[in-house]
Amino acid sequence: MSLVKLSIKGISYSQTQNGAYALILNEVDGERKLPIVIGAFEAQSIAIALEKEIKPPRPLTHDLFKNFAERFDIVVKQVIIHKLVDGVFYSSLICERDKIEEIIDARTSDAIALALRFNAPIFTYKNILDKAGIYLKSNTADTDQGAQEIDDVLSNPETFGHEEETNQSGEVYAKHTLQELNELLDQAVSQEDYEKAAKIRDEISKR
């Protein structure tokens, strides 16, 4: 079975599952997208790895894993999404230490969070992409059963959460000045509220 290289397109808040996010992987040499539903913590960890300007004051779990691995000269070489069963993706970390390769099972969300931190490529098998890949801009493309629900989840794949979502005080970030947004970003990071930080980051990026 041939491997297909994937890149990360973005993270979208799920409209159909409370507290869930959709991680969108993009076929590097094609147009298909591979949506994977992940939890809020994993979405937060992936978003932080994607956004270099957000620096947690303390290491997150995936940062700790990377620090631990590097201390013992373990490198994650690549991630392979190798199986899809009943809508659940299974992945493996291909690791190397002293030129000895080991394969470690991992949840796909954890594997991708680590791939980002190790700058490791992400792959899946062609048959998995044939089965679960979709064309976001096509309403007539053949998709698996439940594709309409996936389309709902992927309503806004370029953002982490709702751009117009308000914070707890009911204020819309769009009303703040750029300086205020940067101050709010620093405050959110210092409080380790990374979901809030990502939303503020999105507003700053729009400016």
Side-chain angles (χ1 to χ4, degrees):
M1 291 183 289
S2 60
L3 287 172
V4 178
K5 190 173 183 178
L6 302 171
S7 62
I8 297 176
K9 175 71 173 174
I11 301 175
S12 173
Y13 184 75
S14 172
Q15 307 294 324
T16 59
Q17 301 186 44
N18 290 334
Y21 292 80
L23 171 67
I24 317 303
L25 301 177
N26 190 70
E27 182 182 14
V28 171
D29 295 320
E31 299 296 326
R32 288 176 294 183
K33 308 293 187 295
L34 188 66
I36 300 174
V37 176
I38 62 176
F41 172 77
E42 292 78 13
Q44 168 185 291
S45 182
I46 291 170
I48 288 171
L50 288 170
E51 301 302 329
K52 307 299 183 183
E53 68 266 23
I54 299 178
K55 302 293 183 183
R58 297 182 297 171
L60 301 180
T61 302
H62 298 108
D63 298 318
L64 177 61
F65 182 97
K66 182 175 185 289
N67 294 338
F68 183 89
E70 288 181 336
R71 185 65 59 90
F72 292 94
D73 298 321
I74 300 169
V75 177
V76 174
K77 304 292 290 184
Q78 62 183 11
V79 164
I80 299 178
I81 303 170
H82 62 83
K83 186 167 63 174
L84 173 61
V85 178
D86 296 330
V88 178
F89 292 90
Y90 293 77
S91 296
S92 295
L93 299 171
I94 312 301
C95 304
E96 185 179 271
R97 181 174 184 264
D98 295 333
K99 297 183 179 180
I100 298 175
E101 190 173 274
E102 297 285 349
I103 300 176
I104 301 174
D105 287 335
R107 295 189 305 168
T108 298
S109 54
D110 290 329
I112 291 173
L114 291 172
L116 284 168
R117 286 162 170 81
F118 283 92
N119 294 316
I122 303 166
F123 297 93
T124 192
Y125 290 110
K126 183 179 181 297
N127 66 321
I128 292 178
L129 197 57
D130 289 342
K131 182 178 180 181
I134 61 174
Y135 295 88
L136 291 183
K137 294 183 179 180
S138 174
N139 294 324
T140 58
D142 292 332
T143 59
D144 293 338
Q145 185 176 4
Q148 183 59 51
E149 180 178 350
I150 293 176
D151 286 339
D152 292 339
V153 172
L154 306 180
S155 61
N156 196 4
E158 296 292 349
T159 63
F160 182 85
H162 300 295
E163 291 186 9
E164 296 302 322
E165 188 171 336
T166 61
N167 59 19
Q168 292 180 350
S169 65
E171 297 175 336
V172 178
Y173 295 125
K175 295 180 180 179
H176 292 282
T177 66
L178 191 57
Q179 180 179 350
E180 289 172 340
L181 287 171
N182 282 302
E183 291 173 354
L184 286 171
L185 178 61
D186 292 339
Q187 182 181 14
V189 171
S190 66
Q191 293 174 351
E192 300 185 20
D193 188 347
Y194 301 116
E195 183 173 349
K196 179 179 177 180
K199 294 170 186 174
I200 298 171
R201 180 281 326 275
D202 288 340
E203 182 62 34
I204 292 174
S205 297
K206 289 197 304 182
R207 306 290 180 92

